[in-house]
Amino acid sequence: PDVRQFRVFAQSPAVEGGFEALYAQTVDEALRGTGTETFEAIDMLRKADPSRFQPEHGADYPRNRVGQALQQIAQLHKADIGLEVTFVDTGGWDNHVNEGGAQGQLANLLRDLGQSLAAFAQDMGDRMDDIVVVTMSEFGRTAHENGNRGTDHGHANCMFVLGAAVKGGKVYGKWPGLGPEHLNEGRDLALTSDFRSVLGEIISRHLGSKELNAVFPGFDNDPRKFPNLLKA
């Protein structure tokens, strides 16, 4: 979402103040606390004026959706409003037709994503010591092209992890191969790493949570199965 859209939908400050007073006076303690936190968050977001934000260290965010979203996340982080976890979604990857190769739809999307992540890391500078960025998708693509010069919904895919705490420059997990005998159901990249193990390590070792069973119930959250991608 756009930071500029965080506001109370009221026609005047008086009406907006009435909403705030209504929550403040409720006898329901949980509702009153939630309302207070919500209005405090809205006030902090107002003060983080996107129009006045200037990226640092020569960073230049692409003018695409993911680039502009990461720029706003950088702004919120620098505003020191207590940001702990946030996410960005970006579409357009479902290329069933004319996906392209080194050039084309997929190449353009990968370029936009790469340039946006690079700009974010450059802008944040030393703040990346306390930031871990993860990219993931809910499904992959078929290993072979379909009849429309695209690819269809597949099984496994890849995740990228970025941050000063990451032991980067390598591929984690087992590469299953693309031979016919290694493909899932003869068409998709086989799954060898569960995304919950990747996120579990970050949640546990970076965010400091020890309640992984509450985050991923029913999953084997054994730390010995983490990919060990974060520095000690």
PDB file of all heavy atoms in Angstrom, residues 107-123:
ATOM      1  N   ALA A 107      12.402 -11.128 -18.310  1.00  0.00           N
ATOM      2  CA  ALA A 107      13.659 -10.395 -18.149  1.00  0.00           C
ATOM      3  C   ALA A 107      13.403  -8.992 -17.600  1.00  0.00           C
ATOM      4  O   ALA A 107      14.154  -8.499 -16.747  1.00  0.00           O
ATOM      5  CB  ALA A 107      14.394 -10.321 -19.486  1.00  0.00           C
ATOM      6  N   ASN A 108      12.340  -8.351 -18.071  1.00  0.00           N
ATOM      7  CA  ASN A 108      12.012  -7.007 -17.585  1.00  0.00           C
ATOM      8  C   ASN A 108      11.626  -7.029 -16.105  1.00  0.00           C
ATOM      9  O   ASN A 108      12.023  -6.150 -15.330  1.00  0.00           O
ATOM     10  CB  ASN A 108      10.864  -6.419 -18.406  1.00  0.00           C
ATOM     11  CG  ASN A 108      11.263  -6.111 -19.835  1.00  0.00           C
ATOM     12  OD1 ASN A 108      12.451  -5.957 -20.140  1.00  0.00           O
ATOM     13  ND2 ASN A 108      10.283  -6.040 -20.722  1.00  0.00           N
ATOM     14  N   LEU A 109      10.860  -8.035 -15.716  1.00  0.00           N
ATOM     15  CA  LEU A 109      10.456  -8.151 -14.315  1.00  0.00           C
ATOM     16  C   LEU A 109      11.658  -8.404 -13.411  1.00  0.00           C
ATOM     17  O   LEU A 109      11.776  -7.818 -12.326  1.00  0.00           O
ATOM     18  CB  LEU A 109       9.441  -9.283 -14.162  1.00  0.00           C
ATOM     19  CG  LEU A 109       8.043  -9.018 -14.727  1.00  0.00           C
ATOM     20  CD1 LEU A 109       7.258 -10.320 -14.831  1.00  0.00           C
ATOM     21  CD2 LEU A 109       7.294  -8.018 -13.853  1.00  0.00           C
ATOM     22  N   LEU A 110      12.549  -9.278 -13.850  1.00  0.00           N
ATOM     23  CA  LEU A 110      13.744  -9.573 -13.058  1.00  0.00           C
ATOM     24  C   LEU A 110      14.647  -8.351 -12.954  1.00  0.00           C
ATOM     25  O   LEU A 110      15.238  -8.087 -11.903  1.00  0.00           O
ATOM     26  CB  LEU A 110      14.501 -10.746 -13.682  1.00  0.00           C
ATOM     27  CG  LEU A 110      13.811 -12.109 -13.577  1.00  0.00           C
ATOM     28  CD1 LEU A 110      14.548 -13.144 -14.421  1.00  0.00           C
ATOM     29  CD2 LEU A 110      13.733 -12.570 -12.122  1.00  0.00           C
ATOM     30  N   ARG A 111      14.746  -7.590 -14.041  1.00  0.00           N
ATOM     31  CA  ARG A 111      15.541  -6.355 -14.006  1.00  0.00           C
ATOM     32  C   ARG A 111      14.949  -5.361 -13.013  1.00  0.00           C
ATOM     33  O   ARG A 111      15.669  -4.771 -12.198  1.00  0.00           O
ATOM     34  CB  ARG A 111      15.582  -5.734 -15.400  1.00  0.00           C
ATOM     35  CG  ARG A 111      16.410  -4.434 -15.481  1.00  0.00           C
ATOM     36  CD  ARG A 111      16.060  -3.641 -16.717  1.00  0.00           C
ATOM     37  NE  ARG A 111      14.657  -3.243 -16.700  1.00  0.00           N
ATOM     38  CZ  ARG A 111      13.865  -3.245 -17.769  1.00  0.00           C
ATOM     39  NH1 ARG A 111      14.315  -3.631 -18.947  1.00  0.00           N
ATOM     40  NH2 ARG A 111      12.596  -2.860 -17.664  1.00  0.00           N
ATOM     41  N   ASP A 112      13.633  -5.182 -13.059  1.00  0.00           N
ATOM     42  CA  ASP A 112      12.978  -4.248 -12.139  1.00  0.00           C
ATOM     43  C   ASP A 112      13.183  -4.675 -10.688  1.00  0.00           C
ATOM     44  O   ASP A 112      13.471  -3.843  -9.817  1.00  0.00           O
ATOM     45  CB  ASP A 112      11.480  -4.171 -12.442  1.00  0.00           C
ATOM     46  CG  ASP A 112      11.179  -3.453 -13.746  1.00  0.00           C
ATOM     47  OD1 ASP A 112      12.095  -2.809 -14.292  1.00  0.00           O
ATOM     48  OD2 ASP A 112      10.023  -3.546 -14.212  1.00  0.00           O
ATOM     49  N   LEU A 113      13.033  -5.968 -10.426  1.00  0.00           N
ATOM     50  CA  LEU A 113      13.206  -6.471  -9.067  1.00  0.00           C
ATOM     51  C   LEU A 113      14.645  -6.276  -8.603  1.00  0.00           C
ATOM     52  O   LEU A 113      14.896  -5.784  -7.491  1.00  0.00           O
ATOM     53  CB  LEU A 113      12.826  -7.952  -9.003  1.00  0.00           C
ATOM     54  CG  LEU A 113      13.033  -8.637  -7.649  1.00  0.00           C
ATOM     55  CD1 LEU A 113      12.155  -7.998  -6.581  1.00  0.00           C
ATOM     56  CD2 LEU A 113      12.745 -10.135  -7.754  1.00  0.00           C
ATOM     57  N   GLY A 114      15.603  -6.656  -9.445  1.00  0.00           N
ATOM     58  CA  GLY A 114      17.005  -6.534  -9.072  1.00  0.00           C
ATOM     59  C   GLY A 114      17.426  -5.095  -8.825  1.00  0.00           C
ATOM     60  O   GLY A 114      18.100  -4.790  -7.836  1.00  0.00           O
ATOM     61  N   GLN A 115      17.021  -4.192  -9.709  1.00  0.00           N
ATOM     62  CA  GLN A 115      17.383  -2.786  -9.549  1.00  0.00           C
ATOM     63  C   GLN A 115      16.728  -2.180  -8.306  1.00  0.00           C
ATOM     64  O   GLN A 115      17.333  -1.351  -7.620  1.00  0.00           O
ATOM     65  CB  GLN A 115      16.985  -2.003 -10.799  1.00  0.00           C
ATOM     66  CG  GLN A 115      17.819  -2.336 -12.029  1.00  0.00           C
ATOM     67  CD  GLN A 115      17.377  -1.570 -13.261  1.00  0.00           C
ATOM     68  OE1 GLN A 115      16.307  -0.937 -13.278  1.00  0.00           O
ATOM     69  NE2 GLN A 115      18.184  -1.615 -14.314  1.00  0.00           N
ATOM     70  N   SER A 116      15.506  -2.604  -8.010  1.00  0.00           N
ATOM     71  CA  SER A 116      14.799  -2.081  -6.839  1.00  0.00           C
ATOM     72  C   SER A 116      15.466  -2.539  -5.548  1.00  0.00           C
ATOM     73  O   SER A 116      15.667  -1.747  -4.613  1.00  0.00           O
ATOM     74  CB  SER A 116      13.336  -2.534  -6.867  1.00  0.00           C
ATOM     75  OG  SER A 116      12.671  -2.042  -8.017  1.00  0.00           O
ATOM     76  N   LEU A 117      15.826  -3.821  -5.480  1.00  0.00           N
ATOM     77  CA  LEU A 117      16.501  -4.339  -4.289  1.00  0.00           C
ATOM     78  C   LEU A 117      17.871  -3.694  -4.115  1.00  0.00           C
ATOM     79  O   LEU A 117      18.283  -3.364  -2.993  1.00  0.00           O
ATOM     80  CB  LEU A 117      16.642  -5.857  -4.389  1.00  0.00           C
ATOM     81  CG  LEU A 117      15.347  -6.662  -4.283  1.00  0.00           C
ATOM     82  CD1 LEU A 117      15.602  -8.127  -4.628  1.00  0.00           C
ATOM     83  CD2 LEU A 117      14.750  -6.545  -2.883  1.00  0.00           C
ATOM     84  N   ALA A 118      18.584  -3.499  -5.222  1.00  0.00           N
ATOM     85  CA  ALA A 118      19.903  -2.869  -5.152  1.00  0.00           C
ATOM     86  C   ALA A 118      19.791  -1.431  -4.654  1.00  0.00           C
ATOM     87  O   ALA A 118      20.606  -0.976  -3.833  1.00  0.00           O
ATOM     88  CB  ALA A 118      20.571  -2.909  -6.521  1.00  0.00           C
ATOM     89  N   ALA A 119      18.782  -0.700  -5.136  1.00  0.00           N
ATOM     90  CA  ALA A 119      18.586   0.681  -4.700  1.00  0.00           C
ATOM     91  C   ALA A 119      18.249   0.739  -3.213  1.00  0.00           C
ATOM     92  O   ALA A 119      18.748   1.607  -2.484  1.00  0.00           O
ATOM     93  CB  ALA A 119      17.469   1.332  -5.521  1.00  0.00           C
ATOM     94  N   PHE A 120      17.418  -0.187  -2.758  1.00  0.00           N
ATOM     95  CA  PHE A 120      17.046  -0.219  -1.338  1.00  0.00           C
ATOM     96  C   PHE A 120      18.275  -0.460  -0.466  1.00  0.00           C
ATOM     97  O   PHE A 120      18.496   0.251   0.521  1.00  0.00           O
ATOM     98  CB  PHE A 120      16.004  -1.316  -1.109  1.00  0.00           C
ATOM     99  CG  PHE A 120      15.587  -1.471   0.327  1.00  0.00           C
ATOM    100  CD1 PHE A 120      14.681  -0.593   0.901  1.00  0.00           C
ATOM    101  CD2 PHE A 120      16.100  -2.498   1.099  1.00  0.00           C
ATOM    102  CE1 PHE A 120      14.294  -0.732   2.227  1.00  0.00           C
ATOM    103  CE2 PHE A 120      15.716  -2.647   2.431  1.00  0.00           C
ATOM    104  CZ  PHE A 120      14.815  -1.759   2.994  1.00  0.00           C
ATOM    105  N   ALA A 121      19.083  -1.451  -0.837  1.00  0.00           N
ATOM    106  CA  ALA A 121      20.277  -1.758  -0.049  1.00  0.00           C
ATOM    107  C   ALA A 121      21.255  -0.586  -0.053  1.00  0.00           C
ATOM    108  O   ALA A 121      21.862  -0.253   0.973  1.00  0.00           O
ATOM    109  CB  ALA A 121      20.952  -3.012  -0.596  1.00  0.00           C
ATOM    110  N   GLN A 122      21.406   0.065  -1.199  1.00  0.00           N
ATOM    111  CA  GLN A 122      22.311   1.213  -1.295  1.00  0.00           C
ATOM    112  C   GLN A 122      21.801   2.371  -0.445  1.00  0.00           C
ATOM    113  O   GLN A 122      22.571   3.027   0.269  1.00  0.00           O
ATOM    114  CB  GLN A 122      22.439   1.644  -2.757  1.00  0.00           C
ATOM    115  CG  GLN A 122      23.424   2.782  -2.990  1.00  0.00           C
ATOM    116  CD  GLN A 122      23.596   3.091  -4.474  1.00  0.00           C
ATOM    117  OE1 GLN A 122      23.090   2.361  -5.332  1.00  0.00           O
ATOM    118  NE2 GLN A 122      24.308   4.151  -4.788  1.00  0.00           N
ATOM    119  N   ASP A 123      20.516   2.625  -0.506  1.00  0.00           N
ATOM    120  CA  ASP A 123      19.910   3.714   0.248  1.00  0.00           C
ATOM    121  C   ASP A 123      20.037   3.489   1.756  1.00  0.00           C
ATOM    122  O   ASP A 123      20.357   4.409   2.515  1.00  0.00           O
ATOM    123  CB  ASP A 123      18.437   3.839  -0.146  1.00  0.00           C
ATOM    124  CG  ASP A 123      17.725   4.987   0.553  1.00  0.00           C
ATOM    125  OD1 ASP A 123      18.408   5.890   1.076  1.00  0.00           O
ATOM    126  OD2 ASP A 123      16.479   4.981   0.576  1.00  0.00           O
TER     127      ASP A 123
END
